[in-house]
Amino acid sequence: MENIENKELLEAQNRLDEHLSSLNKEELSPDDIAECLKILKKEDEDLYYKYLHKLDLESLSTSAIEMPEHMLKDVLENIPKEKLVNAIEELESDDQFELLDYIKDIDEIKAKTIFNELDDEDKKDILKLSAYKDDEAGSYMQLEVFKANLNETVMEAVDRLRDLRHSGEIEMAYQLCAVDEKGILKYCIPLSDLIIYNFSLTIDEVVKSAKPDAFKPKFALDTDKISDVAILFQDFDLSVLPVVDKNGILLGRITPDDIHDFVRESATEQIYNLVGVDDEVEEDDYGALKASKSRAVWLGFNLITAFLSSFIIGIFDSTIESFVALAVLMPIVASLGGNTGSQALTVTVRRLALGDIEFKDAKKVIKKEFTISLINGITFAFLVGIIAYIWFNKPMLGVVIFLAMFITLGCAGLLGAIIPLTLKKFNIDPAVGSSVILTAGTDIIGFFSFLALASWILL
């Protein structure tokens, strides 16, 4: 085990050395740098702090965003303030805002100190982005954008792009945003199209020589929900999307990495929320005590519902004593009911998250999930009924479990669709705790229907 750990440590160290060497044989991504540092911290803290100090400004700034909170705390405590300020100034506006906001969550005073040391232009950009809500497109946009006035020539625009790239102000350009004298976005010209035109033509002449609406822009309002913007990226396979205000004035752009981060964070949040877990607390920089407190809320709810299920079983204790086979078969009813409901729940939550359905589609969604559950209910109820009859040689026991499973699976499909749709109607995240509520519902319905039918038919 020790040899494996040492090998992992040496590999992380070598990768960082190659990344930081002047030959730059292996350029690591920000995620890779953070992961290598994480290994170093676990295996050799002295080496870890040594490499924190060795990171160049670009590597430090980009990897800091990807670090877990405990590692970013180490950066704030061990890296000189001047280097932190210079590192943040290396970033583009959206990343500056994101990193400073992350630092603020850890140490508000440190964040304020760093902010005050930034140059005026960076301060202005960060303040502009911080004015937006977390779920608005404006908070995700990058203010650096390649644009040109309609009366500029292609040559002038290309020369400016060259300067922007050399200065590092823009890392990647996908298109030219053409604006009028008021800064209102008029056209978007992909660079692959722009460079085929005569460089002496003005942008306006380029647009007029093309097909009508060839360069008609797709854009987002700065107040649009970022979830809607993500759908727009997906539907039109976009590489970049300009952002404008209500008057159409160009403010910035949203790039694929921003959308990728949003989609990844949303997916993680939904996976955790489905089982009632706080995704922020589950990150590895939080202690076991805090994580256990986070999970305890829904576990407490689950405990209450478990007692309800036990209470229902207790009502029919005499029935179970008379027919021990019921105790053997009860888990089958509850298990298949829970899985059927989970299938309907997962599909419904995902479609809500992607914007494929809304509450107005509830009737159609519920009907579909109910129908699917009934079909599966009949199939598996018949199969389990036959097995129960052969196993215990009691024909009516087969009838009981057939009817119970048919009812339970049908209701499970209904609940799997109704729960997230109802939560969505009341503006509650449909992923939050849905599976815990569903499990409670399917268990109660399953146990009650099975034992009540057994009392009625078998006794």
Side-chain angles (χ1 to χ4, degrees):
M1 185 61 151
E2 186 178 348
N3 289 334
I4 294 173
E5 290 175 351
N6 288 338
K7 183 179 179 182
E8 190 179 31
L9 173 64
L10 287 172
E11 184 180 347
Q13 188 179 351
N14 289 335
R15 294 188 74 192
L16 286 171
D17 282 334
E18 287 195 17
H19 173 78
L20 296 171
S21 72
S22 56
L23 297 176
N24 203 21
K25 295 176 183 176
E26 181 184 10
E27 185 172 355
L28 299 178
S29 70
D31 272 324
D32 289 333
I33 296 171
E35 190 59 37
C36 287
L37 289 171
K38 193 182 296 184
I39 293 169
L40 260 59
K41 180 168 186 179
K42 182 176 68 174
E43 304 298 337
D44 190 327
E45 284 213 348
D46 290 337
L47 266 180
Y48 165 67
Y49 287 113
K50 175 185 173 183
Y51 277 92
L52 272 187
H53 286 279
K54 285 178 68 174
L55 291 178
D56 58 78
L57 294 178
E58 183 181 355
S59 298
L60 176 63
S61 59
T62 55
S63 63
I65 300 174
E66 307 302 329
M67 291 178 185
E69 188 174 303
H70 67 91
M71 285 176 60
L72 186 54
K73 282 181 182 177
D74 294 336
V75 171
L76 296 177
E77 292 170 2
N78 292 274
I79 301 300
K81 180 186 67 176
E82 293 74 18
K83 185 173 182 179
L84 287 174
V85 170
N86 292 333
I88 290 177
E89 288 180 341
E90 285 283 311
L91 296 170
E92 293 180 316
S93 55
D94 57 335
D95 292 328
Q96 286 181 334
F97 170 64
E98 182 182 353
L99 180 54
L100 204 61
D101 195 48
Y102 190 10
I103 293 172
K104 184 180 176 182
D105 290 339
I106 298 171
D107 189 333
E108 192 168 348
I109 295 175
K110 191 87 171 183
K112 189 174 182 179
T113 303
I114 294 171
F115 175 79
N116 289 335
E117 294 291 326
L118 297 173
D119 65 45
D120 291 340
E121 192 62 34
D122 288 331
K123 288 181 187 177
K124 182 181 175 182
D125 290 346
I126 292 169
L127 287 173
K128 188 181 293 186
L129 294 174
S130 66
Y132 293 100
K133 296 177 182 177
D134 290 344
D135 63 346
E136 289 182 335
S139 68
Y140 283 80
M141 72 178 171
Q142 186 181 103
L143 298 174
E144 296 84 4
V145 59
F146 177 39
K147 62 181 179 180
N149 291 323
L150 292 171
N151 57 1
E152 285 189 81
T153 64
V154 175
M155 175 64 78
E156 289 171 329
V158 171
D159 284 344
R160 187 166 61 261
L161 175 60
R162 187 182 297 112
D163 293 339
L164 291 170
R165 291 285 288 112
H166 285 161
S167 67
E169 187 173 340
I170 290 182
E171 290 185 7
M172 185 65 68
Y174 302 89
Q175 61 185 13
L176 168 70
C177 293
V179 298
D180 64 12
E181 64 279 359
K182 294 180 180 178
I184 295 174
L185 179 65
K186 292 296 183 182
Y187 308 101
C188 286
I189 307 174
L191 293 188
S192 57
D193 290 333
L194 183 68
I195 60 175
I196 66 174
Y197 287 92
N198 190 315
F199 276 29
S200 64
L201 293 176
T202 65
I203 303 301
D204 193 42
E205 289 171 337
V206 167
V207 171
K208 288 177 179 177
S209 66
K211 294 179 181 179
D213 295 334
F215 302 127
K216 183 179 180 180
K218 287 183 175 59
F219 59 86
L221 287 174
D222 56 343
T223 54
D224 283 347
K225 298 290 185 186
I226 188 63
S227 54
D228 295 334
V229 175
I231 293 171
L232 202 59
F233 262 83
Q234 177 183 309
D235 288 347
F236 293 96
D237 197 21
L238 301 176
S239 56
V240 66
L241 189 68
V243 179
V244 302
D245 66 11
K246 62 182 180 180
N247 298 315
I249 295 174
L250 179 65
L251 299 176
R253 63 176 183 164
I254 292 178
T255 53
D257 60 312
D258 301 315
I259 296 300
H260 175 267
D261 290 344
F262 167 74
V263 170
R264 182 179 63 180
E265 289 165 7
S266 297
T268 301
E269 183 181 1
Q270 285 191 358
I271 290 169
Y272 282 136
N273 284 344
L274 275 171
V275 290
V277 171
D278 187 335
D279 62 306
E280 292 184 6
V281 176
E282 288 306 308
E283 294 299 326
D284 62 5
D285 49 315
Y286 286 96
L289 181 60
K290 190 168 185 178
S292 65
K293 287 180 179 178
S294 167
R295 301 187 192 190
V297 176
W298 284 105
L299 286 175
F301 177 81
N302 192 215
L303 178 63
I304 294 170
T305 59
F307 273 119
L308 286 174
S309 298
S310 297
F311 176 74
I312 288 171
I313 294 172
I315 294 173
F316 298 98
D317 57 350
S318 59
T319 305
I320 296 173
E321 288 175 5
S322 301
F323 293 92
V324 179
L326 298 177
V328 176
L329 297 173
M330 270 197 304
I332 298 175
V333 179
S335 176
L336 280 175
N339 286 328
T340 299
S342 294
Q343 290 174 342
L345 178 71
T346 303
V347 170
T348 306
V349 168
R350 181 180 181 277
R351 294 184 70 193
L352 283 168
L354 293 175
D356 293 342
I357 57 173
E358 297 177 7
F359 187 79
K360 64 182 181 181
D361 304 307
K363 186 176 179 181
K364 180 178 68 176
V365 174
I366 292 171
K367 181 180 178 182
K368 179 181 178 181
E369 293 302 329
F370 183 57
T371 303
I372 293 171
S373 299
L374 283 183
I375 293 171
N376 285 331
I378 292 173
T379 303
F380 286 95
F382 180 76
L383 178 63
V384 175
I386 294 295
I387 293 172
Y389 162 59
I390 296 172
W391 189 356
F392 296 100
N393 196 28
K394 291 183 182 294
M396 296 312 295
L397 180 61
V399 173
V400 167
I401 198 167
F402 171 86
L403 292 173
M405 286 192 64
F406 179 72
I407 293 169
T408 303
L409 268 64
C411 290
L414 276 175
L415 289 174
I418 289 172
I419 290 171
L421 286 165
T422 302
L423 292 175
K424 184 72 172 179
K425 174 66 175 176
F426 292 101
N427 295 318
I428 300 172
D429 186 348
V432 177
S434 292
S435 65
V436 180
I437 300 171
L438 174 69
T439 301
T442 53
D443 281 353
I444 290 170
I445 292 170
F447 291 140
F448 182 80
S449 61
F450 182 48
L451 296 174
L453 285 167
S455 299
W456 177 45
I457 295 174
L458 298 179
L459 292 182

